[in-house]
Amino acid sequence: MRVAGRLAADVLDMIGDYVKPGVTTDELDRICHEYITDVQKAVPAPLNYRGFPKSICTSVNHVVCHGIPGERKLKSGDAVNIDITVIKDGFHGDTSRMFFVAAAGIQAQRLAEVAFEGMWLGIEQLAPGRHLGDVGAAIQRHVEKNRCSIVREYCGHGIGRVFHEDPQVLHYGSAGTGMELKSGMTLTIEPMVNAGKPAVKLLPDGWTVVTKDHSLSAQWEHTVLVTDAGYEVLTLGADAR
Ligand code: MF3
Ligand code: CO
Ligand code: CO
């Protein structure tokens, strides 16, 4: 899991330089696909996962998650979440970050910050004996304090030899409730945070999730290991975040 996590983070470190005005999300998909298969000798988990047609997810502006790369050209001011999952030696590493295309809008930047801080506050709850509800409550408190909202329909997940497994890791909830954490568990924490209302809508392509009110949405994701000491983040980037 450490190896798979590092490879997934390496893909995000690599792709940042290519997120420029005029690039299409298809081009980002192709560059990541080739890096994962040719350089890392790993497998892009999304490709053909339950019929998903591409190797990465690219979710732009009001797209909440599971955006399908396509011919759309990114333009200055766009905010895009790139979500990478690689399989190496049978194990999955899953991580996503927000990228800004050239100039970032002030509202989009603040939203991304709130989502990032929320993810880390959730991660910092992790330790044996703590509960999944502690994670959700910490994220929800921070996001709502900042007058943003948490998407309810999608959540983090157990991860290992299987991409999505139990438990569900909700990004809202009550402290002290839910599954008790044990050393050795591997999970993702990946809050989706909307600038407007929490409601989402699935587009007819069967994958793309957008905010119902078309407000901006932001997401960050890490794969984490619960340890005796607390936690280890398996998908840290080169900047250790
Ligand atoms: N990487 C996403 C997650 O964090 C799942 C993407 S499923 C796909 O769980 F099929 F859309 F790729
Ligand atoms: Co995930
Ligand atoms: Co992911």
Side-chain angles (χ1 to χ4, degrees):
M1 287 300 288
R2 287 190 178 98
V3 171
R6 175 166 329 109
L7 293 179
D10 285 348
V11 178
L12 289 176
D13 286 340
M14 177 279 299
I15 200 63
D17 285 343
Y18 296 94
V19 182
K20 292 272 158 61
V23 75
T24 68
T25 47
D26 261 344
E27 285 164 343
L28 298 177
D29 176 70
R30 181 185 52 77
I31 295 163
C32 289
H33 179 92
E34 286 174 4
Y35 190 78
I36 293 166
T37 56
D38 299 351
V39 178
Q40 298 186 329
K41 312 286 181 206
V43 175
L47 187 59
N48 302 320
Y49 177 77
R50 301 187 183 197
F52 191 79
K54 302 282 173 155
S55 296
I56 67 173
C57 296
T58 51
S59 301
V60 183
N61 297 337
H62 74 293
V63 178
V64 173
C65 63
H66 305 165
I68 304 173
E71 286 165 23
R72 170 195 188 132
K73 280 189 165 75
L74 295 178
K75 60 179 195 309
S76 179
D78 282 342
V80 56
N81 173 280
I82 301 181
D83 193 338
I84 301 292
T85 312
V86 306
I87 311 171
K88 183 69 173 181
D89 300 330
F91 292 92
H92 291 71
D94 189 7
T95 182
S96 81
R97 296 181 202 155
M98 297 300 297
F99 294 87
F100 292 100
V101 184
I106 194 92
Q107 199 211 10
Q109 208 169 357
R110 182 61 196 140
L111 182 69
E113 262 169 37
V114 170
F116 180 78
E117 292 159 357
M119 173 188 68
W120 273 104
L121 288 166
I123 290 170
E124 287 162 5
Q125 297 298 313
L126 298 169
R130 303 297 302 279
H131 293 259
L132 278 180
D134 300 344
V135 173
I139 297 169
Q140 183 177 16
R141 187 183 325 115
H142 183 70
V143 168
E144 292 179 353
K145 192 172 75 191
N146 285 282
R147 284 175 268 96
C148 299
S149 62
I150 294 279
V151 171
R152 313 291 159 129
E153 288 85 347
Y154 300 88
C155 57
H157 47 93
I159 185 169
R161 290 187 183 275
V162 175
F163 192 168
H164 297 107
E165 58 181 279
D166 285 343
Q168 293 196 14
V169 180
L170 303 185
H171 303 116
Y172 59 93
S174 307
T177 67
M179 177 184 279
E180 187 178 318
L181 297 172
K182 292 192 171 40
S183 182
M185 289 178 169
T186 46
L187 315 161
T188 74
I189 298 183
E190 49 180 304
M192 284 139 276
V193 176
N194 297 349
K197 298 219 159 62
V200 301
K201 189 173 78 178
L202 182 65
L203 294 190
D205 63 22
W207 283 104
T208 310
V209 179
V210 299
T211 54
K212 213 168 188 176
D213 62 8
H214 278 71
S215 65
L216 291 175
S217 190
Q219 180 179 29
W220 297 77
E221 176 176 24
H222 273 312
T223 297
V224 298
L225 166 69
V226 180
T227 65
D228 289 335
Y231 62 86
E232 183 179 327
V233 179
L234 304 182
T235 46
L236 290 176
D239 62 358
R241 297 195 311 155

